[in-house]
Amino acid sequence: MRFDPVVGATIADAYLAAPVRDPRAYAAYAALCRETVQQYHRLVGRVAFGGLGVAVRVVDEDPYADVESMVDDLRQRRLKVWASAASGNPHPYLSDGENDMFRAVHDAFGHAASGRGFDRHGEEAAWLKHSSMYSPLARRAMTTETRGQNCAQIFHFGDGCFPEQKAALLPRSFSDPRLVRIEAVGVELAVRC
């Protein structure tokens, strides 16, 4: 899967233009929180009761240089998540705990489930994979948190610099996976909106 840089730059521009706090986004963020907590309980829940039994540990430094290391940890039923509090970039809506839960489920059900890393192509694949686990309302906030923030980081700020976190909604077309066209290109796939 290859992510079209023109689409990425367009999403980045929309993210950067969005307000930090938009009360019209709060219903979507509330849905994101509820659905993330359910996913988190599935991730960490006991296997005997239908959970995956993963022990999540919140750490103060970015724990994974590549997706393979994360997948190896998940195979051993453990996952490290970079602490939201350690980033120095507080979320305007989510608590640090809620944001840490979101990071855990996104890493497990997005990156590890798609087997894709943290470059622009991997972030797009992780968004596409994980977005299917959210309702359309929650997916709007999830898209801002993943697709929007990652595009701003990748296409405007570069490695190591993260954009300010926001509680806003991007245009609806950016959060609809049905509008993503995946085209065969050699052995890779290109994603276009």
Side-chain angles (χ1 to χ4, degrees):
M1 176 179 281
R2 288 186 312 154
F3 186 40
D4 184 343
V6 173
V7 173
T10 302
I11 294 170
D13 290 343
Y15 183 88
L16 294 172
V20 172
R21 288 178 190 83
D22 185 349
R24 294 172 296 182
Y26 292 173
Y29 273 85
L32 173 74
C33 286
R34 283 189 307 274
E35 294 174 33
T36 295
V37 167
Q38 292 170 345
Q39 292 176 28
Y40 186 80
H41 286 297
R42 171 97 167 104
L43 180 67
V44 301
R46 291 176 40 192
V47 175
F49 296 106
L52 298 175
V54 173
V56 174
R57 193 173 86 193
V58 180
V59 298
D60 289 334
E61 293 183 11
D62 194 352
Y64 300 110
D66 54 57
V67 74
E68 292 81 12
S69 301
M70 181 192 310
V71 170
D72 287 343
D73 267 1
L74 280 166
R75 284 188 183 117
Q76 297 175 47
R77 295 184 192 254
R78 62 182 184 218
L79 177 66
K80 294 177 222 148
V81 176
W82 190 10
S84 298
S87 72
N89 189 3
H91 198 281
Y93 185 93
L94 303 174
S95 70
D96 286 344
E98 290 165 336
N99 207 10
D100 291 343
M101 278 191 252
F102 178 73
R103 288 177 179 196
V105 298
H106 183 68
D107 282 351
F109 300 132
H111 288 286
S114 69
R116 299 300 301 271
F118 310 111
D119 64 359
R120 77 174 196 246
H121 310 299
E123 292 293 353
E124 181 70 358
W127 167 78
L128 192 58
K129 182 75 170 173
H130 193 200
S131 70
S132 68
M133 295 178 69
Y134 285 98
S135 67
L137 179 61
R139 187 181 306 124
R140 301 267 332 264
M142 183 266 191
T143 298
T144 300
E145 294 302 302
T146 56
R147 204 175 194 206
Q149 208 174 97
N150 289 324
C151 285
Q153 189 268 324
I154 291 165
F155 293 99
H156 282 280
F157 292 101
D159 291 335
C161 297
F162 294 94
E164 181 176 24
Q165 294 196 67
K166 298 185 175 191
L169 300 178
L170 300 177
R172 193 174 300 275
S173 61
F174 295 151
S175 63
D176 189 345
R178 296 172 302 174
L179 299 179
V180 174
R181 291 190 319 261
I182 300 175
E183 304 168 4
V185 179
V187 294
E188 295 189 359
L189 298 176
V191 177
R192 304 191 191 290
C193 289

